[in-house]
Amino acid sequence: MNLTFFDQFSSPSLLGIPLILIAMTFPALLIPSPGNRWITSRLTTLQLWFFNLVTKQLMMPLDKKGHKWALILTSLMVFLLLTNLLGLLPYTFTPTTQLSMNLALAFPLWLATVLTGLRNQPSTSLGHLLPEGTPTPLIPALILIETTSLLIRPLALGVRLTANLTAGHLLIQLISTATTALFSTMPAISLLTLLILLLLTILEVAVAMIQAYVFVLLLSLYLQENI
């Protein structure tokens, strides 16, 4: 039974071809492209309002120099949000439950923020590794600790997103399996577990949205430290 629970996290394939690329590109197909009309539809207006809201929230803690990253961060936010929400639908695959994919998103963007800081203000970026007023005997240990905490940031980003989504999917499958198994023997308890399942699904929708926002927000904070 343990194997069947974790089978949902294995990448699906058709004729030996992995379908994870289709799962990654499908959210982009749900976004309507703007046309040349002066009067747009309500869906396009809602889409532009949402993009504007997300961009304002992400760019708020950044200086004007960091506004160049608005397109990248907003696109990443929308991609993670749609991917996480679509993964809650039945018989779907969630690419963001794969640690390799999350690390592939986190590591290049984190490295770009670090390189940006080393290029624009190298002394300030390196100064973060050693707090001001540190006693001389503690300097080697603090440099090692701060360097380790800096290098572990992309791993923390990927593991946080993977762990939260994986735990939620496992809980949903466990409770749905219990609801189905108890329906014939104990209908009352089965209805109770069904209510718990509905509440858990609402919670997972919130978690999917929050984790996408936290992932991109932490990247914007890392960027603010280096500009």
Side-chain angles (χ1 to χ4, degrees):
M1 182 176 291
N2 292 334
L3 292 178
T4 58
F5 284 155
F6 287 94
D7 281 345
Q8 61 175 321
F9 303 115
S10 60
S11 178
S13 59
L14 179 64
L15 300 177
I17 302 175
L19 302 180
I20 187 173
L21 293 178
I22 298 179
M24 292 173 59
T25 55
F26 183 73
L29 302 177
L30 300 178
I31 302 176
S33 57
N36 297 325
R37 300 179 180 179
W38 286 7
I39 301 177
T40 58
S41 63
R42 294 180 180 179
L43 181 60
T44 306
T45 304
L46 182 62
Q47 170 191 333
L48 293 177
W49 171 82
F50 176 74
F51 288 169
N52 189 23
L53 178 64
V54 170
T55 305
K56 283 184 178 179
Q57 292 295 325
L58 294 178
M59 295 298 106
M60 191 178 299
L62 297 179
D63 297 335
K64 290 184 178 180
K65 296 180 180 179
H67 292 178
K68 300 177 182 179
W69 290 63
L71 180 60
I72 298 176
L73 295 179
T74 304
S75 302
L76 180 62
M77 170 73 181
V78 174
F79 170 74
L80 291 177
L81 181 62
L82 291 178
T83 305
N84 294 347
L85 292 178
L86 289 175
L88 294 175
L89 297 176
Y91 303 103
T92 56
F93 173 70
T94 312
T96 45
T97 56
Q98 306 297 310
L99 181 60
S100 57
M101 175 184 164
N102 295 334
L103 290 179
L105 292 174
F107 183 77
L109 293 174
W110 166 83
L111 184 61
T113 60
V114 174
L115 294 179
T116 300
L118 292 176
R119 184 189 65 178
N120 296 335
Q121 44 181 12
S123 58
T124 305
S125 298
L126 295 177
H128 291 159
L129 302 179
L130 184 62
E132 187 177 356
T134 303
T136 304
L138 297 179
I139 289 179
L142 278 179
I143 291 178
L144 182 61
I145 293 173
E146 292 296 330
T147 304
T148 304
S149 65
L150 177 65
L151 296 178
I152 209 173
R153 282 180 174 180
L155 180 62
L157 283 175
V159 170
R160 181 187 296 107
L161 182 60
T162 304
N164 281 281
L165 295 180
T166 302
H169 283 68
L170 282 176
L171 281 175
I172 289 177
Q173 186 166 0
L174 283 170
I175 296 178
S176 60
T177 303
T179 303
T180 306
L182 295 174
F183 183 75
S184 58
T185 56
M186 291 179 285
I189 299 181
S190 178
L191 292 176
L192 180 61
T193 54
L194 179 60
L195 178 60
I196 296 175
L197 179 61
L198 293 177
L199 296 177
L200 180 61
T201 303
I202 296 174
L203 176 63
E204 285 305 312
V205 171
V207 169
M209 299 171 64
I210 291 172
Q211 289 303 317
Y213 177 71
V214 168
F215 188 93
V216 183
L217 180 63
L218 289 177
L219 282 175
S220 66
L221 295 178
Y222 298 158
L223 179 62
Q224 176 61 25
E225 293 180 359
N226 293 282
I227 58 175

